[in-house]
Amino acid sequence: MASADVRETLHCLICTNLYTNPVTLSCGHSYCQECIQKTWDNQDEDEASCPECRRRFKRKPELQKNITLCKIVECILPSQNEVQKLGITCTYCTQSPVPATKSCLLCEASLCDIHLKVHSNLEDHILTAPTNLWGNHKCSIHKKLLEYYCSDDEVCICGSCSLFGEHRGHQVVRVNEALEKKKDKLRNVLQQLTSKMKKKTTEMIPSLHQHYREVQQKSADITERVITLFGDISEQLDKLKCQVLSEIAKQEKEILLQASHLIQQLEIEKDELIAAIRHIEELCNFTDPLTVLRNQKLHCIKEDKEMAVERACAVGDMDERLISENLCIGIFQIVNNVKAKEDFYLPEVSNILLDIQTAADYIDVKSDLKTAFWSYVRHRPETPERFKDYYQVLSTNSFAFGRHYWEVETSKLEGWRVGMCYSNIDRRGDQSRIGCNNMSWCLCKGEDFDIDNCTLSAVHDSQAVTLHHTSPCQRLGIMLDYETGRLSFYDLCDSVRHLYTFTATFTEPLYAAFCVHWSGWIKIRN
């Protein structure tokens, strides 16, 4: 016991290890030099105090090396290193060190298997795993064993703390009892965690792995189908290309053959004309009137010349319209072949027309009903269908089923909104703005129509999702799949690029909706 007490006094209260460069304060307590300096570094200049007795110093005192304590530690260190090789050794095996299996907190002694058998089994004697840091199991105030547990403050205390200290009147139980209760709680938590882990390992993770494999397989299947489709389309396009080029070559051959045949005839007639010219020239040199008057070849030559001119005019030209028709019919056949594949059901290209009866003031619609632009048109008759507070207009046609596609071209700089809405959308107030209610979905350029802001946002029910899209977006593709509840937007400026897809359960017919800002415009392209 005495040797244990000596070893205990050689441990720093702060780090609980053997002293390293021990220093002594004016109050008489000693600490490792580095430990006390770190402690004071976290305190203000006028709050420096002794960690053990709490004595305050007006200023941080100069640290004086405890020479005697340094020498004692140096003497113990070699034996301490030897003991460390064996771990915690039995306190009572003084002849030769024997590893300890338990430590008694009350006796402050470590016990080997032999001494453990003869050790007291009373409740006051608390056995723990082998340790030599007895200070950790003592009250820092009363220096007594921490035998009790305060349930109110959830800390271990000594008997004096429960009777006279700050824990007086609190609910207190013995440490062993508190340990069992704590272990019961830990077992419950462990059971819950084990159940969760079991659910994750036996259900969720295998399910996700299965989904992972299914997605990979589905991706491979779709990729194969798309490659096959493009291969078919490419094959059909090559075939159509050959057909159209063959038609062009056929027309060229026929026309050139006609022209070649006519050129040969004209060459023959040319020679005949040269001979006739020479004959006439000879007649012109004759002086005998009867010889000249009896010659009838001049009239025949005139008739042959007129016939040659008619034949030259009869030579045809390339029939570009026929070539274009062959090309269009071939393309339609390819499109119909793609439509025939159920996995790649194509949408209907919709003919969207603007309803001028819904157009607000300052927005005008061209006669083709496909272009809306900001203008100084004002004081239109107020009707229940017409928008009042925002430059908006709806389409005349609605969609209550099927898949539909159309394209929209927009102004480059000015703000706009393009989307869809139900017919009962408000026509006045903030709720009438496209995207600012639960009856409309839109793609918006510019925050609050700020023409200097080119940000794209997808907006529904006043909730905006910013799209990280850097290229200017002037041509949009819009795809509506009513039954599956999908409304998708695509950028068509350079290539087809998906921008955003709304998913919803549509319950009413949808109308195309458009909004422009000052000097802006939108144009529907079919």
Side-chain angles (χ1 to χ4, degrees):
M1 290 288 292
S3 62
D5 290 338
V6 171
R7 287 196 299 271
E8 181 67 22
T9 59
L10 298 179
H11 284 81
C12 173
L13 181 66
I14 299 176
C15 66
T16 68
N17 294 323
L18 279 174
Y19 286 114
T20 304
N21 298 326
V23 294
T24 302
L25 306 183
S26 58
C27 60
H29 294 111
S30 300
Y31 304 96
C32 298
Q33 182 176 356
E34 185 178 358
C35 292
I36 191 64
Q37 284 179 340
K38 286 184 178 179
T39 302
W40 284 352
D41 287 343
N42 296 324
Q43 298 177 347
D44 295 335
E45 182 71 27
D46 56 350
E47 292 183 355
S49 62
C50 174
E52 186 169 354
C53 66
R54 303 299 181 185
R55 178 180 174 181
R56 293 182 176 273
F57 305 102
K58 292 184 179 180
R59 62 177 61 184
K60 295 178 181 178
E62 237 179 87
L63 298 175
Q64 299 294 329
K65 185 175 181 180
N66 191 325
I67 299 175
T68 302
L69 196 56
C70 283
K71 291 181 178 179
I72 295 174
V73 171
E74 288 174 359
C75 293
I76 289 182
L77 273 177
S79 60
Q80 182 73 15
N81 292 334
E82 292 176 4
V83 171
Q84 284 178 353
K85 294 178 181 179
L86 296 174
I88 306 299
T89 59
C90 179
T91 306
Y92 303 107
C93 295
T94 56
Q95 298 297 328
S96 61
V98 177
T101 55
K102 292 289 182 180
S103 293
C104 177
L105 300 182
L106 180 64
C107 302
E108 294 189 2
S110 297
L111 310 168
C112 64
D113 290 331
I114 296 175
H115 288 98
L116 183 62
K117 292 178 181 179
V118 297
H119 185 264
S120 175
N121 293 324
L122 295 177
E123 194 178 52
D124 292 342
H125 292 261
I126 302 173
L127 297 176
T128 67
T131 181
N132 55 8
L133 302 178
W134 312 112
N136 292 344
H137 300 277
K138 286 184 177 182
C139 174
S140 60
I141 300 174
H142 303 103
K143 306 302 180 184
K144 293 184 178 181
L145 186 65
L146 299 175
E147 301 177 78
Y148 301 96
Y149 180 77
C150 177
S151 302
D152 294 346
D153 297 329
E154 297 183 346
V155 293
C156 294
I157 60 175
C158 69
S160 298
C161 290
S162 64
L163 295 175
F164 315 109
E166 58 183 11
H167 299 280
R168 181 181 180 182
H170 291 187
Q171 184 177 357
V172 174
V173 296
R174 295 192 69 83
V175 170
N176 290 339
E177 184 181 347
L179 175 63
E180 291 304 319
K181 291 182 180 179
K182 183 72 171 182
K183 285 185 176 180
D184 289 339
K185 291 182 180 179
L186 291 175
R187 291 188 188 100
N188 291 333
V189 173
L190 179 63
Q191 185 177 2
Q192 294 176 5
L193 294 176
T194 304
S195 177
K196 287 183 179 179
M197 184 184 70
K198 183 178 179 181
K199 182 177 180 181
K200 289 182 179 180
T201 55
T202 61
E203 297 178 16
M204 296 179 64
I205 294 178
S207 176
L208 287 174
H209 278 301
Q210 178 64 25
H211 183 65
Y212 183 90
R213 290 189 293 270
E214 289 175 355
V215 169
Q216 283 185 318
Q217 185 60 46
K218 190 173 183 179
S219 174
D221 293 342
I222 294 174
T223 300
E224 184 178 355
R225 282 159 45 203
V226 170
I227 292 174
T228 302
L229 177 64
F230 274 97
D232 293 343
I233 293 174
S234 178
E235 184 178 343
Q236 294 179 62
L237 285 173
D238 289 340
K239 185 177 179 180
L240 176 61
K241 175 183 175 182
C242 292
Q243 291 175 351
V244 174
L245 292 179
S246 176
E247 176 63 27
I248 295 172
K250 176 185 175 183
Q251 290 191 23
E252 179 189 21
K253 182 178 179 180
E254 292 177 351
I255 295 170
L256 294 182
L257 186 61
Q258 293 177 10
S260 177
H261 182 67
L262 184 57
I263 288 172
Q264 292 178 359
Q265 290 184 348
L266 290 175
E267 289 289 344
I268 294 172
E269 294 177 2
K270 174 185 172 183
D271 294 338
E272 293 177 351
L273 286 173
I274 292 174
I277 290 171
R278 291 177 180 171
H279 176 69
I280 293 172
E281 287 177 348
E282 292 177 355
L283 290 177
C284 290
N285 294 326
F286 285 161
T287 55
D288 182 5
L290 294 178
T291 303
V292 176
L293 295 175
R294 289 175 181 171
N295 194 292
Q296 302 295 325
K297 288 184 178 181
L298 183 60
H299 180 67
C300 296
I301 291 173
K302 182 178 180 182
E303 289 180 353
D304 292 340
K305 182 179 179 181
E306 291 175 353
M307 291 176 63
V309 173
E310 291 177 359
R311 289 197 304 271
C313 295
V315 176
D317 197 0
M318 295 292 294
D319 191 345
E320 294 185 43
R321 183 173 294 276
L322 178 60
I323 296 171
S324 178
E325 289 175 355
N326 288 342
L327 183 61
C328 290
I329 291 173
I331 291 175
F332 282 137
Q333 286 180 338
I334 294 174
V335 172
N336 289 333
N337 290 337
V338 175
K339 284 184 177 181
K341 296 180 180 293
E342 295 182 1
D343 293 340
F344 297 97
Y345 172 59
L346 295 180
E348 296 293 333
V349 179
S350 301
N351 183 25
I352 304 292
L353 298 177
L354 299 175
D355 185 1
I356 198 169
Q357 299 301 320
T358 64
D361 287 346
Y362 297 105
I363 186 171
D364 203 358
V365 178
K366 286 188 176 181
S367 58
D368 61 359
L369 301 181
K370 290 186 176 297
T371 302
F373 57 95
W374 191 94
S375 73
Y376 287 99
V377 175
R378 295 186 60 187
H379 306 302
R380 284 199 174 103
E382 289 194 21
T383 63
E385 296 82 11
R386 193 177 306 283
F387 287 101
K388 177 66 176 176
D389 299 309
Y390 294 101
Y391 315 133
Q392 300 182 161
V393 61
L394 302 184
S395 64
T396 57
N397 44 335
S398 63
F399 308 98
F401 59 89
R403 299 181 70 189
H404 307 273
Y405 176 78
W406 63 96
E407 297 178 2
V408 176
E409 189 176 350
T410 65
S411 50
K412 183 176 182 180
L413 299 178
E414 293 75 15
W416 45 260
R417 291 195 175 200
V418 174
M420 305 211 70
C421 69
Y422 294 145
S423 62
N424 56 348
I425 185 176
D426 290 341
R427 305 305 166 103
R428 289 166 177 76
D430 290 339
Q431 287 294 312
S432 65
R433 195 178 190 185
I434 304 170
C436 293
N437 49 71
N438 60 2
M439 301 180 185
S440 58
W441 301 258
C442 78
L443 197 69
C444 167
K445 177 187 174 185
E447 183 69 23
D448 291 330
F449 297 115
D450 181 359
I451 62 174
D452 294 327
N453 190 340
C454 295
T455 302
L456 284 180
S457 302
V459 189
H460 170 64
D461 203 8
S462 298
Q463 301 297 317
V465 178
T466 301
L467 308 181
H468 300 286
H469 188 71
T470 55
S471 62
C473 189
Q474 287 184 260
R475 188 177 175 187
L476 300 172
I478 303 171
M479 175 83 76
L480 170 65
D481 192 336
Y482 191 94
E483 280 76 13
T484 60
R486 293 172 61 87
L487 177 63
S488 302
F489 295 86
Y490 294 85
D491 177 16
L492 307 179
C493 287
D494 297 324
S495 60
V496 179
R497 180 178 300 180
H498 176 255
L499 295 174
Y500 193 81
T501 294
F502 290 101
T503 56
T505 301
F506 300 129
T507 58
E508 302 176 32
L510 289 168
Y511 290 79
F514 308 91
C515 184
V516 296
H517 190 50
W518 182 83
S519 76
W521 54 268
I522 61 99
K523 182 178 181 181
I524 301 169
R525 302 168 59 98
N526 290 345

